[in-house]
Amino acid sequence: MLITNATIVTWESENRILENHAILIEGDRIKEIGTTKALTAKYPKAKTLDARGQYVMPGSICAHTHFYGAFARGMAIPGPAPKDFPEILKKLWWPLDRSLDSEAVRFSALVCLVDAIKHGTTTLIDHHASPNAIDGSLDIIADAVDKSGLRGVLCYEVTDRDGSEKANAGINENIRFLKRLAANPHPRLAGTFGLHASLTLSGITLQACRAAVPEGTGFHVHTAEHESDEYDSLGKSQMRVVDRLQKHGILGPNTITAHGIHFDAREMEILKETGTWLTHQPRSNMNNGVGVAPIESMLRLGIKVCLGNDGFSNAMWEEWKAAYLLHKIHHRDPRRMGGYDVTQMAVYNNAALANQFFPAAPIGQITQGAFADLIFVDYHPYTPLTSGNLPWQIIFGFQQSMVTTTIAAGKVLMKDRELLTLDEAEIAARAREIAPRIWKRYEEEVAKVM
């Protein structure tokens, strides 16, 4: 396939914007880049896709999300509104994840994947929980990701909050799925090992997880999202969260820690020393009222900070904007969290993290030999757009509705805003049919803790 008449944003380390260019795709890779004139002459028989002057750029990457939370949209929480994050967990998320069955797991993934395609997010790192539908849950999500045509990194959230039997089932589900991928590799699917958070994990369970995980596989774990995680860890072990995870061998260059809002200086040093990744989710942090992570300090320290959405919409430019604005108001200083810092997280660090799971070719850039994960953006700037000011054009100008075409692994998933791999109307209709059942179960579950 030859994409013609494109204005290419390469997102190389030295970003370039190439006008009236073309991209030749062969299989799931970019084979060649050149001017439209040159490549159309060189490949006269190639099937063409006319970008009509639109910006063509790498698809967005989401470093931390939760497909399983999709049915929370519009759902009422009985009684007084939760006053803090521990209450949000007990009154919303934990009763909801206990309410999911296999069909709900499937459709909660599908509606998120539709959202991702529409908004140009081509790689997603998911963190799943469904305590009453554990066995095979990752296969259900994997099948949905495969059908969508997107890339997905999956894991199951191990926790002790539902008892040791289900904690063991969660361990087994992670290991079973990792073995499945090892035996039958999939070019767009990868796995890691999911952990909820230190506050719901005993030392015995952490030891069991460490013993079970295959060599070279990392973890995906929430860390210090609220002060309660730190206080719980100190009470259990006389160590802060990151120190405790390090003691159990959880950290390292293949492990993702999410949030990190209440780390102290030494915890940040340990992340740097171990090469552990951290993901920032500003919209979720604002919504939960949990605080603001010291992201600029972490970046300055050399921690590999990425950008996720924690289950919010898969329009990642909205997360860019939230990150850009949140740190300014938090510090009451408009100089904080510059556009280049946001770009470092959302583009370069996210791409480096995705490459950990999909190492066969570069990802998140338009270069020869890179994965052909691309989006078309119908943006008409009324000021000069350059490689230098692009972050601010995105933050102040790009809108989620501007994505017109989404391509992953060389396959067109949406063309001119028409979804080609998933039927949005059918998926939404079935999800609406399922939702009352899930909400009823949620009401029964939340009544147990109120």
Side-chain angles (χ1 to χ4, degrees), residues 66-115:
H66 296 288
F67 295 156
Y68 81 82
F71 284 106
R73 182 175 293 182
M75 187 179 74
I77 302 175
K83 68 178 183 297
D84 56 22
F85 186 59
E87 280 202 4
I88 290 171
L89 291 175
K90 292 174 184 175
K91 294 180 69 174
L92 173 57
W93 296 117
W94 294 347
L96 177 60
D97 69 37
R98 291 195 299 270
S99 304
L100 301 176
D101 55 24
S102 295
E103 187 179 26
V105 169
R106 173 174 170 76
F107 278 89
S108 63
L110 285 169
V111 297
C112 291
L113 294 164
V114 165
D115 184 64

Side-chain angles (χ1 to χ4, degrees), residues 11 307 316-324 342-343 346-347 394:
W11 279 137
L307 197 66
M316 290 303 295
W317 296 327
E318 297 303 305
E319 215 68 51
W320 284 52
K321 296 171 187 181
Y324 184 77
V342 178
T343 303
V347 175
I394 291 174

Side-chain angles (χ1 to χ4, degrees), residues 2-3 12 38 100 137 148 162 207 239 281 369 371:
L2 183 65
I3 298 171
E12 298 163 280
L100 301 176
S137 59
S148 75
D162 298 298
Q207 288 174 0
M239 289 181 284
Q281 290 71 227
F371 282 124

Side-chain angles (χ1 to χ4, degrees), residues 123-157:
T123 300
L124 302 108
I125 302 178
D126 185 52
H127 195 275
H128 178 63
S130 54
N132 291 319
I134 297 174
D135 296 349
S137 59
L138 295 183
D139 284 347
I140 293 169
I141 299 170
D143 289 346
V145 173
D146 187 29
K147 182 178 180 182
S148 75
L150 296 170
R151 295 185 192 277
V153 181
L154 310 182
C155 67
Y156 187 86
E157 171 191 287

Side-chain angles (χ1 to χ4, degrees), residues 13-29:
S13 57
E14 290 292 331
N15 186 31
R16 295 185 295 159
I17 297 176
L18 309 174
E19 295 186 2
N20 199 16
H21 266 59
I23 303 168
L24 180 68
I25 297 172
E26 190 172 273
D28 63 355
R29 313 285 170 88

Side-chain angles (χ1 to χ4, degrees), residues 5 77 82 88 101 103 177 244 248 274 282 294 354 376 399 440:
N5 301 310
I77 302 175
I88 290 171
D101 55 24
E103 187 179 26
F177 185 67
R244 182 173 185 242
H248 286 282
T274 57
F376 294 6
Q399 302 294 331
K440 185 175 186 299

Side-chain angles (χ1 to χ4, degrees), residues 83-89 93 223-229 258-263 280-294 310 326 330:
K83 68 178 183 297
D84 56 22
F85 186 59
E87 280 202 4
I88 290 171
L89 291 175
W93 296 117
T223 50
E225 189 171 359
H226 185 267
E227 297 93 333
S228 58
D229 198 18
H259 303 295
I261 295 165
H262 299 283
F263 288 162
H280 181 40
Q281 290 71 227
R283 285 188 292 175
S284 171
N285 297 162
M286 288 190 285
N287 185 53
N288 290 327
V290 289
V292 181
D310 212 29
L326 171 61
H330 177 66

